[in-house]
Structure formats: C-alpha cells, structure tokens
Amino acid sequence: MTRRIEDYGLVGDLQTAALVGRDGSIDWMCLPRFDSPACFAALLGDERHGSWRLGPTAGGECTSRRYRDGTLILETEWDLPEGRVRVIDLMPPRGDEADLVRIVEGISGTVHMTTELRLRFDYGNIVPWITEDGGALRAVAGPDSVRIDSVVPIVHEGVSDGSLLRAEFTVGPGDRVPFVLNYHASHLETQEPVEPYAALRDTEDFWHTWLEGCSYSGPWPDAVHRSLITLKALTYAPTGAIVAAATTSLPEQLGGSRNWDYRYCWLRDAGLTLQALIGTGFIDEARQWRAWLLRAVAGDPADLQIMYGLDGRRRLPEYTLDWLPGFEGSAPVRIGNDAASQLQIDVWGETLDALHQAREAGLEQDDDVWRLQRALLEHLEEHWDDLDNGLWEVRGPRRAFVHSRVMAWAGFDRAVRAVEKYGLVDEPVEHWREVRDRIHADVCANGFDPVRNTFTQFYGSQGLDAALLLIGQVGFLPWDDPRVVGTVEAVQRELGQEGLLRRYHNDADDKVDGLPGSEATFLVCNFWLVDALHGTGRVQEAVALFERLLTLCNDVGLLSEEYDVRTGQHLGNTPQAFSHLGLVNSALRLGQAAGVAAEEPEPEAQPRASRQAIHSSAVDRS
C-alpha cells in the first residue's frame, strides 16, 4: 500500500509527538524531545525501522477517525463484518517522563486484534535489549529505556531484523484493553506507569481547559481551533519554543532530494506566531514564545541565526542517515539543518517586528528588551544591503532579495513607530526615519519591474516570489498602491498552478535555489494570497480561496508544508506550523472583515495539568 503524508494524525505531550497512520500504526516518534532520535522511524523506511501497529488482525485502513472535540486525543475506528472497534491514542501532558497511551475499545460484535511493536532506537538503527520488568517489558539501548505495560500477555519474538513484541486478543462490546509505553533515561529507575483511564480523562480536561482561553469567534471555529491545538502540540513546553514541524525529511517532491529537518524553531515564524496567539487570546503562550525569542537571539546581533534548537542552541549540524531509504524512496534522510548558518537579512526585521507586536499587545517590556532592539537596529543599518540567501533558504548564490530588504525596512519602521507612540526619549528617531526611507527608495528603484508592474524576487530578477504578497501586509506600501495591486496579480499569474501558488519558480533565473527537482504549491503562501486579495479589496475571492484551502486539510484537520495539485497529496514535513499559522491569521483577518472581531485577550496565564494526578500503579481492564 502506498502511503500518503496526509494519512497521519498527531498526538503529543508538549515536548514530543507521535504520528499515527490510518492503519493504526505509529510510524514516527522521537523520545524524549521533538529533536531526539526516533524510536519509531518507519515513516522514513518501513516497519523494520520501528513502528507500533495496533488494529484488527485482518489489517487494513480504518473506516473513520477523528479527534475528540477540542483535544489532541485521536480516535480511530474500524467497521468490520465481525464487529466494530476503536483505538484511542493520546500522550498526557508531560510530567517527569513521556507516556504514550493506547486504549482499544470494543463497540459491537467480536473483533480479533493484534499489536506488533518494533522498537528501534537511533532512527531505526539500534535494536534494544528486551527484559521483563515486574510483569511489564523493558527495552534498553544506551541512554534510552522504554517500558511497555498491558493487561494482555505480550510475547517477545525474535525476527530476522531483531525483536518484535506481539500480542493477539479479542474485544467485545464494552471491553477496554489499554497499553502504556513509558520512556525514561536508562540510568534512572522506572516510575509507576500512568493509569490509562485517568490519563485519558485528565488529558481531555487539559485540552478543554486550554481551549477555553481562545477568544476567536469568527465563521470558521473548527478549523481555527484545530490549528491552534496543533500549534500548541508543536510547542516545547519547557522553553516556549514552537517547532516548524514534528518530522524530518518528508519530501517536497516524491522521490526527490528536497528533504529537510524541520524539528527546530525559525525566526521567520516569530511575527506570524505572535499574530496568531495574541489574536486568539493566548497571551501566556505569546509571552512564552517571546521569552524564548529573547533568549535565543541574545548576544552579538551579528551572530543572529535564522533558526535555533528547542532550547535556543545554535549548532544544528546537518548529516544523512544512509540506512533509511526515505519516505516512498525519497532520499537522503537528513538530520540537522545547514541552513542555520545561512545569512537571511529578513530575520533582523522579523525579530524587530515581533518584539514591536509584543509591545503593542501590552506584553511586559523592560529596558533590556529595548536595548536588544537598538543593538539589532545598529547591526541592520550596516548590513541591510548585503546579499543573502533569502527567506526560502536558497542554496544557490546570495542575492539582493526584495523580501529581505522589505523586512529590513520594517525593522526601522517599527522602531520609529515605537518612539512616536510611546514617547521614548534620547533615541535617534530622525536617523532611523532616514534609514527607513533610504531602504524604501532603494527597493522601489531596484526591486520593481515597471514593465511587468510587479516587484521581483531579487534585484534584476525575472522571477517572482510569493513573499512579495507581504509587502502590503507589513505596511511597506498601502494595499491600494498600483504597484502592490500589480504584484498581487503578477504573483497569481506567474506562480499559480490550478488556482494555488508555488512560492517561486525553481527554474527561474538559472535555478535560483541551486537544487535539483521541483516542488508543489506552498500552503502558507496561499494564505498570504488570501490576505492580499482581502487587502486589495477582492474579499469574495479571498473567502473562496480560504474555504478551498480548508478542504486541503486531511480528515483530522492537519496541514503539511505543501500540496500537489496534480495528485491531491500533501508533501513536505507535517504538521507544518507555518501552514497552520497562515490559516489562523487569515481567518482572523477575514472574520474581522465580516464584522466578526475577536474579543480582547485576557492577559492571564492558562492553567496547566499535573502529571501527578494521573499516576497510579494499576493498569486494569474494565
């Protein structure tokens, strides 16, 4: 069976996540963090590289699946001739250790079930040593240890590729059979496993309580709530960081080499993240994200990176895993990301814009934050016209990318506005205004093609870039400026593919990105087009496009990075924060246009669930 990226749902505990397929197989999970080596890596290979299938013995895809309303609890159902059965998957919000809970529920008839668990640490490379541990099974390899508890006997079998943990059982109406997988460092003693039914109740309560903080009241609550829950699930709770995606190396072209590791945090997401969180009332999450941002970028402004690790670490060396064939043969599989060392001038502007948004939203400010902004401005003044790799991390020659310079303009613009609005004294506002105007004039003179009536991807380029749609959104020019209107029309015309947008033409300007192959339509760019259509007065078209984009979500409301209009498949890493941020921000903009404004956010911290409440020594069948 050919797999599709959209076949997967997500469960997580705010420190890592697992991907569950429509066949009941968990094919991706990294422990103990998003960026740790995977213990289930079948997503990038096959079952030999680690997976946990739990489903009918007869196999096959589920009949239906859904998230419990307002939660990250996934329910997968099979409707078979002999009966109906459900598997509930969840990860309770993390305490000291990570837990994955799977509960089989019989609905009708009698269904034969099978579980097959292959633990393969280090991205499928290491077969663990399996021992018995007080009635449970324990798998150990180096620093990693996993304990598996169940009420059904699990048999440890030797297979050609290592160890298999297997069990067969039946369920009838009302039967429930739980499984609990607990991860802990191998040098520490195991704790008692979570009690699965208490974990289910408390996890549901946690998500319901968290979602009560949402102030969105527009026309698309289901899609917005699902996107917000997904963004929360991609949050690394200890630091407030939000990873770009839960996966690495899912291809932008099936069979191609455009496969990157997205389990890190990009500064390009900073402003969009704050817009989405503040705009929907999640002030505490916005505060945590800003705190991560401030810690990550602290230091010499010249050392600012485009991305950082979950804890703000800077070194993200890129290497390949040759033993993994890649998703549907898309190799290489990459760990780490060399783009961390690229120069992208836009990140200085995006950081300054994000900090300005935080100030506008009333988040607490101090002198250190303003001193950091001043240091960033001083560096940006000296380097805004440097050639760089651009927003899309091209691996070809550096260029004078228009978006990079527009965001440099935005950095100085936000500083000027802050001084004007908040009466900050002893600031060189006239000088900043002069630099801002100089950048503006330079971009308009060199980044605009008057013959085609559009801004271009970089100075002298024959190509376009969907990031040009942000020119109106960041206020570089008003939406009704003929150059903005012309750019929106040109981007639609030249980057459109069956009504959706690619981010740029791979073949333009002698292969601007320096990479082989091609890619599909880029989802966040289409949400930017929604915003641009709205901004230029084409509101009905904006709504129609937005509602079309909602149909591209998979059956449980998730979006990956790209969408192939030819095959109708998702491509790229999943679920993609960039895509879900675009969805939320477009919904906010369109909802306000329709007279449905978001309520003012309440600046209180959101409640947190305690893992201690869901600990018990019992794992019972009821």
Side-chain angles (χ1 to χ4, degrees):
M1 181 180 66
T2 300
R3 295 172 300 166
R4 299 163 297 180
I5 291 170
E6 61 268 28
D7 286 340
Y8 289 95
L10 180 88
V11 295
D13 66 356
L14 310 184
Q15 294 192 39
T16 191
L19 293 189
V20 187
R22 293 180 58 83
D23 60 351
S25 181
I26 295 178
D27 289 344
W28 182 256
M29 185 166 69
C30 300
L31 289 170
R33 310 188 337 168
F34 290 106
D35 57 354
S36 299
C39 63
F40 298 137
L43 180 71
L44 301 176
D46 56 38
E47 62 184 15
R48 295 171 299 170
H49 301 108
S51 65
W52 183 4
R53 181 182 172 272
L54 178 58
T57 303
E61 291 192 351
C62 64
T63 307
S64 63
R65 61 180 180 168
R66 69 181 184 96
Y67 283 110
R68 288 195 179 182
D69 287 345
T71 76
L72 200 67
I73 299 169
L74 184 65
E75 298 186 337
T76 305
E77 295 186 4
W78 287 262
D79 198 352
L80 306 166
E82 62 269 27
R84 190 176 177 192
V85 66
R86 175 186 300 128
V87 173
I88 303 170
D89 286 304
L90 64 129
M91 294 186 75
R94 180 85 63 93
D96 295 327
E97 299 176 348
D99 298 291
L100 173 62
V101 177
R102 313 194 77 183
I103 301 172
V104 180
E105 287 188 338
I107 301 173
S108 64
T110 300
V111 181
H112 295 272
M113 300 290 289
T114 297
T115 184
E116 293 183 332
L117 194 160
R118 289 175 169 85
L119 281 159
R120 300 292 185 269
F121 293 109
D122 191 31
Y123 300 104
N125 191 42
I126 297 176
V127 178
W129 184 255
I130 306 293
T131 60
E132 290 192 12
D133 182 8
L137 292 174
R138 189 180 186 209
V140 178
D144 302 305
S145 180
V146 164
R147 173 182 165 130
I148 302 98
D149 285 87
S150 179
V151 296
V152 298
I154 300 177
V155 179
H156 175 209
E157 300 178 359
V159 291
S160 60
D161 62 326
S163 296
L164 169 66
L165 304 180
R166 193 171 190 276
E168 293 189 8
F169 55 97
T170 60
V171 289
D175 286 343
R176 296 198 295 178
V177 180
F179 297 83
V180 177
L181 182 153
N182 167 264
Y183 173 89
H184 60 279
S186 61
H187 66 281
L188 299 177
E189 295 205 4
T190 60
Q191 295 186 14
E192 293 295 335
V194 293
E195 199 285 316
Y197 308 120
L200 174 62
R201 291 191 300 271
D202 288 359
T203 302
E204 187 167 20
D205 288 345
F206 168 83
W207 285 106
H208 285 165
T209 299
W210 180 79
L211 196 58
E212 287 174 0
C214 182
S215 62
Y216 176 77
S217 58
W220 302 282
D222 292 343
V224 170
H225 291 167
R226 179 51 49 198
S227 287
L228 289 168
I229 290 170
T230 303
L231 292 169
K232 180 66 172 176
L234 295 174
T235 300
Y236 183 64
T239 66
I242 299 177
V243 296
T247 58
T248 179
S249 297
L250 290 181
E252 297 173 9
Q253 180 184 29
L254 287 177
S257 62
R258 293 171 179 260
N259 317 317
W260 316 109
D261 194 345
Y262 275 19
R263 297 171 298 158
Y264 308 112
C265 309
W266 268 254
L267 295 192
R268 70 181 183 192
D269 300 353
L272 292 175
T273 302
L274 285 174
Q275 285 178 37
L277 294 176
I278 292 169
T280 53
F282 290 105
I283 301 301
D284 189 47
E285 279 70 17
R287 184 180 292 112
Q288 292 176 28
W289 167 248
R290 188 195 64 169
W292 173 87
L293 178 67
L294 289 170
R295 292 192 302 271
V297 305
D300 189 338
D303 297 330
L304 197 68
Q305 294 189 179
I306 70 169
M307 71 178 79
Y308 296 85
L310 302 175
D311 52 6
R313 71 184 59 188
R314 293 168 175 264
R315 296 188 184 277
L316 308 173
E318 182 176 299
Y319 57 96
T320 61
L321 304 182
D322 296 335
W323 62 85
L324 287 174
F327 183 87
E328 296 298 306
S330 305
V333 171
R334 292 183 173 93
I335 303 301
N337 201 313
D338 278 347
S341 62
Q342 286 188 348
L343 175 64
Q344 293 182 19
I345 299 298
D346 59 290
V347 299
W348 278 266
E350 281 150 358
T351 302
L352 288 161
D353 179 50
L355 295 176
H356 180 74
Q357 286 187 48
R359 183 187 293 275
E360 291 284 278
L363 297 189
E364 301 85 351
Q365 299 289 321
D366 58 40
D367 291 340
D368 288 338
V369 175
W370 184 246
R371 280 197 296 270
L372 173 62
Q373 290 174 270
R374 286 201 57 172
L376 293 171
L377 288 164
E378 289 171 6
H379 179 83
L380 188 57
E381 180 179 352
E382 297 298 321
H383 295 279
W384 67 265
D385 56 352
D386 288 354
L387 304 183
D388 74 333
N389 299 99
L391 170 72
W392 304 123
E393 298 161 15
V394 302
R395 299 199 175 195
R398 290 180 176 178
R399 316 271 191 167
F401 284 98
V402 169
H403 173 74
S404 294
R405 300 188 178 196
V406 166
M407 291 312 300
W409 171 90
F412 284 97
D413 177 73
R414 300 327 185 238
V416 170
R417 287 162 57 183
V419 172
E420 292 174 342
K421 182 171 182 178
Y422 298 103
L424 301 174
V425 296
D426 300 324
E427 302 298 345
V429 64
E430 290 303 324
H431 178 66
W432 289 341
R433 190 176 286 116
E434 184 275 326
V435 176
R436 179 189 66 177
D437 294 346
R438 182 164 16 112
I439 298 172
H440 194 281
D442 188 81
V443 171
C444 290
N446 298 296
F448 182 76
D449 183 345
V451 176
R452 294 154 66 201
N453 191 34
T454 182
F455 285 92
T456 58
Q457 186 171 28
F458 55 85
Y459 288 7
S461 171
Q462 295 303 303
L464 298 182
D465 183 342
L468 299 170
L469 297 171
L470 299 175
I471 286 174
Q473 191 175 135
V474 302
F476 183 83
L477 287 170
W479 282 115
D480 59 359
D481 188 290
R483 291 166 292 183
V484 174
V485 173
T487 298
V488 174
E489 293 172 349
V491 166
Q492 272 191 289
R493 182 175 62 249
E494 298 189 25
L495 298 183
Q497 186 176 19
E498 297 186 29
L500 298 179
L501 292 184
R502 291 162 288 189
R503 52 182 172 173
Y504 55 85
H505 270 303
N506 303 110
D507 294 329
D509 300 301
D510 297 322
K511 285 197 135 340
V512 63
D513 63 15
L515 296 168
S518 61
E519 57 185 33
T521 62
F522 205 83
L523 288 172
V524 74
C525 298
N526 289 277
F527 289 110
W528 293 346
L529 179 58
V530 169
D531 301 338
L533 292 172
H534 165 262
T536 54
R538 298 159 63 183
V539 177
Q540 289 185 333
E541 291 178 67
V543 172
L545 175 58
F546 181 77
E547 293 187 336
R548 179 186 176 186
L549 292 170
L550 295 186
T551 69
L552 305 186
C553 296
N554 74 354
D555 57 317
V556 290
L558 303 182
L559 289 170
S560 63
E561 182 179 31
E562 300 183 8
Y563 179 79
D564 190 336
V565 295
R566 299 166 301 170
T567 64
Q569 291 181 252
H570 287 198
L571 290 173
N573 286 302
T574 196
Q576 180 83 354
F578 222 8
S579 301
H580 286 282
L581 288 168
L583 188 156
V584 172
N585 286 324
S586 290
L588 288 169
R589 192 163 284 109
L590 293 179
Q592 291 167 354
V596 186
E599 299 173 8
E600 287 296 322
E602 294 291 335
E604 288 92 21
Q606 302 302 315
R608 298 291 185 267
S610 169
R611 188 179 189 275
Q612 282 70 24
I614 51 179
H615 268 289
S616 169
S617 60
V619 181
D620 299 322
R621 181 174 180 167
S622 62

